[in-house]
């Protein structure tokens, strides 16, 4: 787009303007094909067989009757499956989860452990045969009991230190005029994206190809190359459309199983998980038990902050839910102490789930801040503003930018916070008690090395190629806008191709780093190409291509606390006769860098806030101690927020907050929208009823029990 200014014409930038998704029409008309829909000649279908015991060994499998069934091609298990190499450290700095190293021994580590795969000519034949396979086990006692007082818990360093300490905690608590010591719990939660995990593997000219639904083709290439002892150049992964991931679509059992099947049968093999299988094999958010201790002066200034977090992991792989992460960055105090601990149980391995650590951690921290404000007789926003740090409270590093105060001030203005009566339980509308609550949000904003390829075509257009993953967030559209600006052209002259590992290494879609990392690489390549074209280079029929690599630039970033921030506001109505909680309205104001595409960015943030409603009021996966499995592991038994649960007024907006260290000014928005949302709702429930809820979800039975003064489960 151009605008006339006197005799000079200037181009209006694409970044910052609303743009509909470039693949939107294909998705709503069904033209966009997902991993489980793409046709292949001579395609066979694999179906996983999962264990029916929670711990033990496989004594034998009755494969002969299954092999005789119609269409069955093979049954893979620990006695005949290809051997895998598991002695390596992967892209994320951790060894592979043995659940993905399929069929390597006779051990069973949890209910739903993969013990075999049946491959047949059709999916129906494979499923029938898999359900007919008889497996004999040597069963052992199991333990799935997660609770706060486990004596076998231990400290674990994940992607951050297990323990941080600053100052004399005991002394500062003793010197505090106001103290708080409370425990908060969150349940096991599952990703529950619309599209199930699906992959098709085939060998083509000695090269392994995988058509998959994943959050990073580079990630999957590296893991498969390591597991199957292949050179990474001998593996190609394609993932054009992804129907949601939220952290779960990394390397999973179905991809490895598909590669095994294709290797044994020398033909394409597809494996698609059922919804119930996903509850066992694709990760989840661990339940947490968190203790917060705060000490403050009478004016609300924090002297002491302690955050202890316990989560669960499996007996075969270590994963920690880093719930204390927000406490290390959000508020200043003279003494800080945070600890991450885990307990090993006979359960599947947890994994990253939208805002890992920060989502459950912010519930505990922001609920505790609300309780402290009540004790100090302060407005909850004022208490937070009085404890704003100038530098990282634990790290001592400067912030790249920190506009949390601006988020609270703008949010309070738009939400009508000044008219709030701080007294709990005084607003009533018929049978409903009304209340409002707030909470802060933060999530790290980092960048990962990426490569991108930009080609100036002979017809005057441009093609951008990058192994990015659009998990439904509108990433390819954001990259289109970034590329158009970097090339100083219009969006209709740019094509963006993503989701193919052959385009070169690129950051995964995770940790709210995707768009920032990919945009950096696209910008670097586009600018170099523009400089070459400015020199008057003729464009040959094959075009002029430039490849970028941001590894050196990303690693040269100076040490800073880099985060997106936000302020969440919620109004709820509580029926004390039925225990029903309804969210009436929500507002989130965020400081999340330069917003590339306001249309899809707002959708992202609102989506996170809606998930916060789900976390606060609905989601909880419960395990049966008798068999070690989940009650109702499907979308009928695991309740997520539906359209009827979402308030008519839910808004997300932002303040100006470009990152000065990013070439486009981007931070990240993928996860900050859920952070603090559950706490804001729980704090609003307290304001409505005068009763605190420190355990999620805030179910109707818990509301009734709390109103009656009874302990709840």
């Amino acid at each position: 787009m151009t605008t006339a200014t006197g005799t000079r014409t200037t181009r209006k930038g694409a970044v910052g303007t609303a743009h509909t998704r470039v693949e939107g029409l294909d998705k709503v008309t069904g033209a966009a094909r997902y991993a489980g829909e793409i046709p292949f000649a001579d395609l066979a279908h694999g179906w996983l067989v999962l264990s029916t015991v929670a711990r033990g060994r496989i004594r034998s499998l009755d494969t002969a009757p299954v092999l005789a069934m119609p269409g069955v091609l093979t049954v893979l298990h620990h006695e005949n499956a290809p051997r895998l190499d598991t002695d390596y450290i992967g892209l994320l700095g951790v060894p592979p989860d043995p659940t993905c190293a399929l069929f390597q021994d006779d051990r069973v580590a949890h209910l739903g452990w993969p013990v075999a795969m049946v491959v047949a000519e059709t999916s129906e034949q494979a499923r029938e045969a898999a359900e007919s396979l008889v497996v004999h086990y040597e069963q052992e006692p199991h333990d799935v009991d997660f609770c706060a007082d486990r004596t076998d818990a231990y400290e674990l360093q994940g992607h951050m230190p297990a323990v941080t300490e600053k100052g004399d905690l005991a002394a500062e608590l003793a010197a505090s005029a106001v103290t708080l010591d409370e425990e908060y719990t969150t349940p096991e939660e599952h990703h529950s994206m619309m599209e199930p995990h699906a992959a098709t593997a085939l060998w083509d000219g000695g090269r392994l190809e995988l058509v998959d639904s994943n959050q990073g083709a580079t990630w999957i290439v590296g893991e498969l190359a390591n597991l199957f002892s292949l050179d990474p150049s001998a593996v190609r992964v394609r993932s054009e459309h992804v129907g949601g991931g939220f952290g779960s679509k990394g390397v999973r059992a179905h991809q490895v199983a598909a590669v095994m099947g294709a290797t044994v049968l020398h033909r394409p093999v597809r494996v698609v998980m059922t919804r119930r299988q996903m509850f066992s094999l694709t990760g989840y958010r661990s339940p947490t038990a968190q203790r917060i201790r705060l000490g403050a002066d009478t004016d609300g200034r924090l002297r002491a902050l302690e955050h202890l977090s316990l989560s669960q992991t499996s007996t075969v792989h270590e994963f920690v839910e880093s719930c204390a992460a927000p406490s290390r960055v959000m508020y200043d105090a003279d003494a800080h102490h945070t600890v991450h601990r885990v307990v090993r149980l006979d359960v599947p391995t947890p994994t990253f789930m939208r805002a890992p650590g920060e989502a459950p951690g912010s519930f505990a921290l922001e609920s505790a801040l609300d309780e402290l404000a009540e004790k100090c007789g302060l407005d909850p926003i004022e208490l937070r503003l009085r404890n704003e740090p100038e530098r990282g409270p634990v790290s001592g590093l400067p912030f790249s930018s920190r506009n949390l105060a601006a988020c609270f001030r703008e949010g309070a203005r738009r939400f009508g916070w000044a008219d709030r009566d701080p007294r709990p339980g005084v607003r009533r509308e018929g049978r409903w008690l009304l209340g409002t609550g707030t909470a802060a949000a933060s999530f790290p904003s980092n960048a990962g090395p990426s490569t991108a390829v930009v080609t100036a075509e002979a017809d005057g257009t441009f093609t951008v190629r990058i192994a990015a993953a659009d998990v439904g967030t509108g990433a390819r559209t954001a990259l289109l806008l970034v590329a158009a600006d970097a090339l100083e052209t219009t969006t209709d002259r740019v094509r963006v191709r993503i989701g193919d590992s052959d385009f070169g290494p690129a950051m995964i879609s995770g940790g709210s780093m995707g768009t920032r990392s990919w945009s950096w690489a696209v910008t670097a390549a586009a600018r170099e190409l523009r400089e070459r074209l400015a020199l008057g280079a003729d464009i040959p029929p094959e075009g002029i291509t430039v490849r970028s690599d941001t590894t050196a630039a990303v690693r040269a970033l100076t040490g800073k606390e880099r985060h997106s921030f936000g302020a969440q506001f919620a109004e709820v109505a509580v029926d004390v006769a039925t225990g029903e909680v309804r969210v009436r309205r929500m507002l989130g104001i965020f400081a999340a860098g330069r917003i590339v595409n306001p249309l899809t960015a707002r959708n992202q943030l609102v989506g996170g806030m809606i998930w916060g409603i789900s976390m606060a009021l609905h989601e909880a996966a419960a395990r049966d101690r008798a068999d070690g499995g989940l009650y109702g592991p499907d979308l009928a038994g695991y309740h997520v927020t539906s359209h009827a649960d979402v308030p008519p007024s839910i808004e997300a907006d932002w303040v100006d907050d470009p990152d000065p260290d990013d070439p486009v000014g981007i931070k990240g928005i993928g996860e900050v929208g859920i952070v603090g949302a559950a706490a804001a709702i729980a704090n609003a429930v307290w304001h409505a009823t005068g009763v605190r809820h420190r355990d999620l979800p805030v179910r109707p039975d818990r509301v009734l029990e709390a109103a009656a003064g009874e302990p709840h489960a």
Side-chain angles (χ1 to χ4, degrees):
M1 183 182 296
T2 60
T3 58
T5 306
T7 59
R8 184 180 61 181
T9 300
T10 60
R11 187 185 60 84
K12 182 179 179 182
V15 170
T17 61
H19 198 295
T20 56
R21 298 170 190 258
V22 294
E23 83 286 8
L25 182 62
D26 285 346
K27 284 185 173 179
V28 298
T29 59
R33 285 178 167 170
Y34 291 81
E37 302 174 319
I38 299 172
F40 289 89
D42 200 29
L43 179 65
H45 298 264
W47 202 276
L48 292 170
V49 179
L50 308 187
S51 70
T52 57
V53 303
R55 183 182 178 91
R57 293 185 177 276
I58 303 167
R59 288 197 288 113
S60 63
L61 302 93
D62 296 343
T63 59
V66 170
L67 289 168
M69 294 179 70
V72 173
L73 301 169
T74 189
V75 179
L76 296 178
H77 49 85
H78 68 280
E79 294 179 348
N80 65 358
R83 297 296 92 185
L84 301 175
D85 181 4
T86 59
D87 187 19
Y88 68 91
I89 300 298
L91 174 69
L92 300 182
V94 296
D97 184 343
T99 310
C100 301
L102 296 180
F103 318 141
Q104 298 301 289
D105 56 47
D106 61 357
R107 289 295 310 173
V108 172
H110 59 76
L111 188 76
W113 180 268
V115 296
M117 179 178 69
V118 176
V119 186
E121 295 288 354
T122 69
S123 177
E124 293 79 8
Q125 290 171 332
R127 179 170 192 166
E128 182 180 5
E131 293 175 350
S132 301
L133 180 65
V134 176
V135 182
H136 303 278
Y137 300 97
E138 181 182 315
Q139 194 167 353
E140 300 171 3
H142 64 265
D143 179 6
V144 297
D145 187 18
F146 177 81
C147 57
D149 56 359
R150 294 283 307 214
T151 59
D152 53 346
Y154 61 95
E155 295 171 359
L156 179 63
Q157 176 173 320
H159 294 284
M160 59 184 66
V163 180
T164 63
E165 294 181 284
K166 182 187 80 170
D168 189 331
L169 184 76
E172 295 297 339
L173 283 170
S176 296
V178 183
T179 60
L180 179 138
D181 186 348
E182 296 293 351
E183 294 186 357
Y184 305 85
T185 69
T186 62
E188 180 177 323
E189 301 170 42
H190 287 257
H191 302 78
S192 300
M193 75 295 296
M194 291 178 66
E195 181 204 19
H197 293 61
T200 303
L202 64 152
W203 290 91
D204 184 8
R207 193 178 192 214
L208 174 64
E209 291 201 15
L210 189 81
V211 177
D212 188 24
S213 176
N214 64 59
Q215 292 179 233
T218 301
W219 183 10
I220 309 304
V221 165
E223 296 289 328
L224 293 180
N226 281 318
L227 286 169
F228 288 91
S229 300
L230 300 170
D231 188 280
S233 63
V235 183
R236 181 188 186 189
V237 173
R238 289 180 289 147
S239 182
E240 185 174 0
H241 297 291
V242 181
F246 307 120
S248 76
K249 284 187 174 173
V251 177
R252 299 292 173 198
H254 67 294
Q255 297 135 321
V256 179
V259 175
M260 283 183 168
T263 301
V264 170
L265 295 174
H266 307 291
R267 60 187 287 188
V269 172
R270 173 173 294 159
V271 179
V272 180
M273 287 195 192
T274 66
R275 182 66 59 177
R276 282 180 169 255
Q277 288 175 341
M278 289 163 60
F279 274 83
S280 296
L281 295 178
T282 63
Y284 58 95
R285 196 195 309 279
S286 166
T288 73
Q290 303 174 61
R291 181 185 181 189
I292 303 282
R293 288 202 294 171
L294 302 175
D297 293 332
T298 54
D299 63 357
R301 188 184 68 84
L302 285 172
R303 300 179 67 103
L305 190 161
E306 182 178 52
H307 192 163
L308 310 178
S309 175
L310 175 68
S311 58
Q312 74 184 24
T313 191
S314 69
T315 60
V316 296
H317 191 63
E318 290 183 324
F319 181 88
V320 59
E321 187 77 14
S322 303
C323 293
S327 290
R328 297 174 180 180
V329 70
M330 288 303 294
Y331 305 109
D332 205 0
D334 298 314
H336 267 263
H337 182 223
T338 64
V339 180
H340 293 139
R341 296 185 305 144
V342 297
V343 59
R344 287 180 175 269
L345 298 174
D346 299 310
V347 295
T349 306
T351 193
F352 305 100
M353 184 166 163
R354 195 176 199 175
E358 271 79 3
S362 68
F363 165 68
L365 177 65
E366 294 298 316
S367 295
L369 262 289
D370 205 69
E371 295 199 53
L372 183 67
E374 178 193 357
K375 285 193 169 193
C376 293
L378 288 172
D379 179 85
I381 295 177
E382 179 59 29
L383 177 73
R384 288 167 171 83
L385 296 180
R386 290 186 184 185
N387 290 285
E388 270 285 282
E390 293 183 2
R391 303 175 74 87
V394 175
S395 70
L397 295 172
F399 289 97
S400 62
S401 65
R402 182 181 171 106
N403 287 314
L404 177 60
C407 293
F408 268 118
R409 292 189 178 106
E410 175 65 11
R413 182 188 68 81
R414 290 176 53 170
F415 198 71
W417 189 262
D419 299 328
R420 178 183 190 257
D421 187 330
R423 296 174 299 165
V426 298
R427 288 181 62 203
R428 181 179 286 274
E429 185 180 283
R431 63 190 177 94
W432 300 95
L433 287 173
L434 306 182
T436 53
T438 189
S442 73
F443 197 80
S445 174
N446 296 309
S450 295
T451 62
V453 178
V454 181
T455 301
E457 308 289 358
D459 62 0
T461 63
F462 301 89
T463 302
V464 176
R465 296 176 177 86
I466 185 167
D470 190 333
V471 294
T473 58
R476 58 162 53 80
T477 308
L479 293 176
L480 172 70
L481 304 183
V482 169
D485 277 5
L487 291 164
E488 296 186 353
T489 188
T490 52
T491 56
D492 60 318
R493 295 181 61 202
V494 181
R495 290 180 298 273
V496 176
R497 296 183 58 195
I498 66 170
D500 190 332
S501 64
D502 275 1
F503 297 158
M507 181 60 194
I508 67 171
S509 175
S512 295
M513 292 187 282
T515 299
R516 176 175 183 173
S517 303
W518 305 323
S519 295
W520 197 329
V522 169
T523 298
R527 287 178 177 172
E528 182 181 341
L529 177 61
R530 195 182 70 231
E531 291 171 0
R532 289 180 58 178
L533 294 176
L535 297 175
D538 291 330
I539 301 178
E542 68 274 14
I544 297 176
T545 296
V546 170
R547 176 182 292 273
S548 67
D549 185 341
T550 63
T551 301
V554 169
R555 291 177 179 172
L557 285 170
T558 57
K560 291 183 181 180
E561 288 281 4
R562 294 183 167 86
H563 302 265
S564 292
F565 293 96
Q568 302 270 17
F569 295 83
E571 180 179 65
V572 303
V574 182
D575 186 334
V576 293
T578 65
E580 181 183 4
V581 178
R582 303 292 295 183
V583 178
R584 289 258 179 118
R585 59 189 177 110
M586 287 189 77
L587 170 67
I589 302 293
F590 300 94
R594 189 180 182 195
I595 301 302
V596 176
N597 185 356
L599 180 63
T600 53
R602 185 168 281 108
N603 290 342
Q604 272 257 66
L605 294 168
V606 168
M609 294 165 67
I610 291 172
W611 203 342
I613 298 173
S614 202
M615 180 180 181
L617 304 180
H618 304 297
E619 292 191 45
R623 290 200 174 271
D624 186 342
R625 294 182 182 179
D627 69 6
L630 296 175
Y631 293 101
D634 50 42
L635 292 183
Y638 181 78
H639 186 202
V640 299
T641 288
S642 66
H643 288 292
D645 301 308
V646 178
S649 175
I650 180 166
E651 299 178 70
D653 211 338
W654 43 83
V655 298
D656 191 43
D657 183 49
D659 190 320
D661 297 325
D662 184 87
V664 187
I666 297 171
K667 283 188 175 180
I669 61 171
E671 289 161 287
V672 72
I674 189 177
V675 181
I681 293 167
N683 292 338
V685 172
W686 167 80
H687 187 233
T689 64
V691 178
R692 288 284 176 191
H693 288 269
R694 302 184 182 96
D695 307 289
L696 293 184
V698 185
R699 300 188 311 247
D701 60 311
R702 290 179 168 177
V703 173
L704 295 177
E705 290 166 356
E710 301 173 1
H712 62 252

